[in-house]
Amino acid sequence: MSGHGDPIPMTARRSAPLKGVADVPGDKSISHRSLILGALSVGETHITGLLEGQDVLDTARAMRAFGAEVTHLAHGEWVVSGVGVGGFAEPEQVIDCGNSGTGVRLIMGAMATSPISATFTGDASLRSRPMGRVTDPLGLFGAAAYGRAGGRLPMTIVGAAEPVPVRYVVPVPSAQVKSAVLLAGLNAPGQTVVIEKEATRDHTERMLAGFGAEVSVEQTEEGRVITLTGQPELRPQSIVVPRDPSSAAFPVCAALIVEGSDVLVPGIGLNPTRAGLFITLQEMGADLTFENMREEGGEPVADLRARYSTAMRGIDVPPERAPSMIDEYPVLSVVAAFAAGKTVMRGVKELRVKESDRIDAMARGLEACGVTVEEDEDTLIVHGMGPGGMPGGAVCATHLDHRIAMSFLCAGMAAQKPVSVDDAGPISTSFPVFEPLMEGLGAHLGRSNR
Ligand code: S3P
């Protein structure tokens, strides 16, 4: 919800070895999609392992506003009684998506081909993010968008009364844009085609097929071509949400940099469109292993084992890997500060339009912690100081960005002096149990600015 509460300053001090098992919560991307596709099905979708972070709770509330029944049964267990494709009712209130770009962009797509209007808003972070990337293709279906300058929220979408299918080449590597177009295509007659030059996370395509839509994916010279046949009747599903690799990144990376650590992070979804960080860490020489590889609900899953790693070296991260680890650059830049040599992250300009400008937020915070950083529009370079080498001793600004907050707290667990963040409140959007989970492993976290 927007109207973020009072800031929660938090400090991490150099930790004793992190030890034990880290049970991280459900995947945020899959949680949003479970609620939205459940709402677009006819009948009851059962979900277990749903992430009960604020972003997802805001999407649950939005689905109720569009007419779906959404019931919380027990921890992580939810039932959505859907209204079917084309069945959304017009919300009586403004839809507040809080901090969540995924929530607002996917929901805009899902309603844009129904003859209803809805007004969307969010917190200060979300109100500063560009929506034109989604409203441009939604306009091709016949929807109209009226927002603030620069395509910013609050914004009203007037859905197309007689939608037409579209063929759209996504101009930026964005799973949110791809997904908004596919969800809009659900209620357009005929075939909607989305082409992405670089593969981004593919949960929407996989889940649409699971819900019974006719969807095909083809690799061509133009890129990945996804073809969806509109106006299907989606069949309700039983969904087990895998644990979030983007949340697993934090205990994994903390274990690699805190002396003497040995942490097991079980049951992590390793969909190749999400697993880029772990490959990168292995290339850097991290002591990170995948144990008990298996398949669950059609997704590859493994237990991750991370141990303190003294031999990590900086690398050039291949730019084509960026979409598969786009949310993990902040915490990778912290690990890079504890490696030997330079880590070069190119092709990352999308980081500038996340919950914050993540290149700027990481660069300024790392510099304040005594790390040498270089940046340009599309690049972040971190000069590593080796194991235990980061001086720390700074208060870092998090700009309402959960991943910036968690990244600097991980830094503080291994730096010479404590590292504080000005506001840990946004961590509840994606990883509400971060603080007790990390403390359970042995981290020293405190709710104050040192
Ligand atoms: C997401 C897509 C990514 C990612 C975000 C979740 C999704 O955003 O950063 O955290 O669930 O589709 P972009 O589509 O803007 O790259």
Side-chain angles (χ1 to χ4, degrees):
M1 272 196 347
S2 64
H4 184 66
D6 288 339
I8 303 172
M10 194 174 281
T11 297
R13 295 184 163 68
R14 195 164 204 167
S15 273
L18 302 175
K19 299 263 182 190
V21 177
D23 282 324
V24 306
D27 189 278
K28 184 151 71 73
S29 294
I30 295 176
S31 294
H32 282 295
R33 287 160 172 79
S34 300
L35 292 169
I36 295 169
L37 289 173
L40 292 171
S41 304
V42 179
E44 286 192 349
T45 285
H46 289 254
I47 310 167
T48 52
L50 189 87
L51 167 65
E52 291 173 358
Q54 192 57 48
D55 278 9
V56 176
L57 298 178
D58 287 338
T59 289
R61 216 161 33 102
M63 290 302 98
R64 289 191 188 110
F66 282 100
E69 249 178 64
V70 182
T71 313
H72 185 200
L73 296 181
H75 182 65
E77 199 182 333
W78 293 64
V79 175
V80 183
S81 190
V83 293
V85 168
F88 271 177
E90 187 164 86
E92 290 174 12
Q93 303 276 4
V94 171
I95 303 296
D96 187 342
C97 289
N99 193 249
S100 181
T102 308
V104 74
R105 292 180 175 133
L106 268 57
I107 297 168
M108 281 179 172
M111 58 73 58
T113 45
S114 291
I116 56 172
S117 298
T119 301
F120 296 89
T121 192
D123 70 5
S125 156
L126 192 57
R127 291 195 309 273
S128 73
R129 298 178 67 185
M131 295 298 140
R133 53 177 53 199
V134 167
T135 56
D136 287 351
L138 297 184
L140 304 176
F141 286 97
Y146 304 95
R148 288 193 306 129
R152 303 305 202 263
L153 302 180
M155 178 176 278
T156 298
I157 306 287
V158 180
E162 289 180 24
V164 291
V166 311
R167 176 185 167 85
Y168 191 67
V169 182
V170 184
V172 284
S174 167
Q176 292 175 0
V177 175
K178 167 178 67 177
S179 302
V181 176
L182 288 171
L183 291 171
L186 276 177
N187 200 34
Q191 291 193 324
T192 285
V193 180
V194 188
I195 299 154
E196 53 179 6
K197 289 176 211 131
E198 301 166 72
T200 63
R201 66 192 67 193
D202 62 358
H203 307 302
T204 303
E205 302 89 293
R206 285 180 187 240
M207 291 177 76
L208 276 169
F211 274 85
E214 208 180 304
V215 58
S216 67
V217 180
E218 209 188 336
Q219 194 64 47
T220 71
E221 272 183 8
E222 232 187 326
R224 242 178 121 247
V225 180
I226 306 148
T227 305
L228 171 75
T229 303
Q231 301 184 323
E233 180 168 308
L234 297 184
R235 292 189 299 266
Q237 296 298 298
S238 268
I239 298 172
V240 181
V241 179
R243 295 172 194 256
D244 198 327
S246 298
S247 295
F250 296 101
V252 163
C253 288
L256 299 178
I257 60 175
V258 172
E259 193 173 345
S261 297
D262 185 349
V263 169
L264 186 71
V265 193
I268 299 304
L270 286 183
N271 178 315
T273 62
R274 295 287 300 282
L277 171 74
F278 305 121
I279 296 161
T280 301
L281 292 171
Q282 286 179 329
E283 286 175 4
M284 291 172 76
D287 187 350
L288 171 65
T289 50
F290 302 153
E291 299 180 356
N292 195 12
M293 290 283 282
R294 56 204 185 269
E295 199 162 285
E296 284 175 12
E299 297 269 354
V301 165
D303 305 335
L304 306 184
R305 179 130 194 211
R307 297 184 184 89
Y308 178 53
S309 300
T310 51
M312 289 190 290
R313 323 165 285 287
I315 62 165
D316 276 25
V317 183
E320 62 276 11
R321 194 179 289 162
S324 71
M325 53 180 291
I326 195 65
D327 290 335
E328 283 64 76
Y329 284 98
V331 75
L332 174 65
S333 68
V334 167
V335 173
F338 289 92
K342 206 163 76 165
T343 296
V344 182
M345 296 164 262
R346 288 191 209 284
V348 293
K349 64 172 179 288
E350 274 295 301
L351 295 180
R352 297 209 180 264
V353 290
K354 296 294 178 188
E355 285 81 331
S356 68
D357 176 341
R358 287 180 170 164
I359 295 179
D360 183 69
M362 289 312 298
R364 300 295 81 76
L366 285 170
E367 278 168 357
C369 290
V371 181
T372 303
V373 174
E374 296 168 66
E375 65 168 297
D376 67 28
E377 182 56 23
D378 198 25
T379 309
L380 178 63
I381 299 173
V382 175
H383 292 259
M385 305 181 86
M390 183 196 282
V395 181
C396 302
T398 59
H399 305 283
L400 289 180
D401 190 327
H402 53 134
R403 299 201 199 280
I404 300 298
M406 290 186 278
S407 297
F408 282 119
L409 291 170
C410 289
M413 294 170 203
Q416 289 157 13
K417 293 203 199 107
V419 176
S420 302
V421 294
D422 61 349
D423 188 9
I427 292 174
S428 65
T429 61
S430 69
F431 198 161
V433 296
F434 174 80
E435 190 184 359
L437 181 144
M438 294 307 300
E439 284 177 337
L441 298 175
H444 299 312
L445 294 172
R447 288 201 173 207
S448 72
N449 262 343
R450 291 186 281 159

